[in-house]
């Protein structure tokens, strides 16, 4: 039989297979040997596309990052942009929570992750935030989003009501109900945190950016400069 014209192995097939494996079994399940077996090829074939396993994980993480909305920083004022970006970022990570520990290391050399960092930082600086503060805000938002996507507060409580019937836990009588409302609790907590952070940043913006600008212009007018 003639050999198939289409290549048996492609970069995208490797990334897709690795992503499926991570979603199903976690980061620990990924090895070049396991991936090769899943793809039906010999292990060394992977190295024609990626130098090592970390490069494959980077590619998976970057593909997930591509789903995050960063155009909002070019079309919205910074508070609304942070809201849109934060929600989009969490949705992308929550759909693939097992990749979060790798992704949380930072953008590294990943093109889409660097593009996201550039869009966030650039949007905040254009809005008047000092560069150091813009960096802090980007880091703060990443902590909030990654932490929310990585774990579930609600799932940390057992569904057995007997555990919480004790004088030691007088306020946890309904804690066994949390697990049944996991999505509602976790998303509600994230939304509360996101809105609180942005409202706090709006107050800081008034103090750091707006008031400083007003004082500068007032001094300039008074000195005639």
């Amino acid at each position: 039989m003639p050999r198939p014209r289409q290549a048996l192995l492609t970069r995208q097939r490797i990334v897709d297979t690795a992503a499926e494996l991570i979603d199903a079994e976690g980061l620990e399940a990924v090895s070049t040997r396991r991936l090769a077996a899943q793809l039906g090829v010999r292990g060394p074939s992977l190295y024609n596309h990626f130098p090592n396993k970390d490069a494959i994980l980077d590619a998976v993480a970057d593909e997930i990052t591509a789903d995050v909305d960063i155009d909002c920083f070019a079309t919205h004022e910074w508070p609304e942009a942070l809201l849109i970006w934060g929600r989009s970022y969490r949705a992308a990570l929550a759909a693939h929570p097992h990749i979060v520990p790798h992704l949380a290391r930072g953008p590294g050399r990943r093109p889409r992750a660097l593009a996201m960092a550039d869009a966030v930082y650039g949007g905040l600086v254009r809005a008047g935030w000092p560069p150091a503060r813009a960096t802090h805000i980007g880091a703060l938002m990443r902590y909030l989003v990654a932490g929310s996507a990585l774990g579930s507060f609600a799932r940390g409580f057992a569904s057995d009501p007997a555990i919480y019937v004790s004088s030691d836990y007088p306020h946890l009588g309904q804690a066994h109900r949390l697990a049944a409302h996991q999505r509602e609790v976790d998303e509600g907590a994230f939304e509360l945190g996101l809105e609180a952070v942005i409202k706090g940043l709006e107050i800081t913006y008034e103090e750091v950016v707006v008031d400083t600008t007003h004082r500068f212009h007032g001094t300039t007018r008074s000195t005639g400069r």
Side-chain angles (χ1 to χ4, degrees):
M1 293 181 64
R3 297 179 65 183
R5 293 181 181 180
Q6 187 175 5
L8 177 63
L9 190 63
T10 65
R11 182 182 177 91
Q12 191 60 50
R13 277 195 65 206
I14 296 170
V15 172
D16 290 344
T17 301
E20 291 170 3
L21 195 56
I22 293 167
D23 284 345
E25 301 182 35
L27 283 170
E28 298 78 7
V30 179
S31 68
T32 53
R33 179 177 297 180
R34 179 80 183 276
L35 278 175
Q38 292 284 107
L39 290 160
V41 299
R42 299 179 64 182
S45 301
L46 300 179
Y47 298 117
N48 293 326
H49 301 274
F50 294 97
N52 50 47
K53 187 182 83 169
D54 275 348
I56 297 173
L57 296 180
D58 276 344
V60 173
D62 219 32
E63 187 146 302
I64 291 168
T65 302
D67 292 333
V68 181
D69 183 354
I70 58 175
D71 293 337
C72 52
F73 286 95
T75 57
H76 292 74
E77 295 295 322
W78 71 265
E80 184 67 17
L82 284 180
L83 195 66
I84 294 169
W85 172 58
R87 288 170 175 165
S88 176
Y89 194 8
R90 181 185 183 275
L93 299 196
H96 307 278
H98 291 154
I99 195 66
V100 174
H102 183 84
L103 191 147
R105 296 178 184 177
R109 298 174 181 269
R110 302 195 304 272
R112 287 163 174 165
L114 289 170
M116 182 171 73
D118 183 74
V120 175
Y121 178 81
L124 293 171
V125 171
R126 283 195 305 273
W129 282 100
R133 284 298 190 193
T135 301
H136 296 160
I137 293 168
L140 169 63
M141 291 290 291
R142 191 158 65 87
Y143 300 153
L144 175 64
V145 171
S148 174
L150 183 60
S152 167
F153 175 82
R155 199 166 53 231
F157 291 85
S159 59
D160 182 1
I163 295 174
Y164 308 105
V165 180
S166 169
S167 59
D168 292 336
Y169 316 114
H171 305 295
L172 296 182
Q174 299 300 311
H176 64 283
R177 300 180 184 275
L178 288 174
H181 301 280
Q182 175 189 329
R183 182 170 181 176
E184 178 184 350
V185 172
D186 293 340
E187 290 186 355
F190 173 73
E191 284 293 321
L192 177 63
L194 180 62
E195 292 173 9
V197 164
I198 293 174
K199 286 180 181 178
L201 288 174
E202 287 179 308
I203 295 172
T204 302
Y205 184 82
E206 290 291 324
E207 297 172 348
V208 172
V209 179
V210 177
D211 289 351
T212 301
T213 302
H214 287 168
R215 286 197 299 271
F216 172 78
H217 287 304
T219 301
T220 301
R221 285 194 296 269
S222 67
T223 59
R225 297 180 182 177

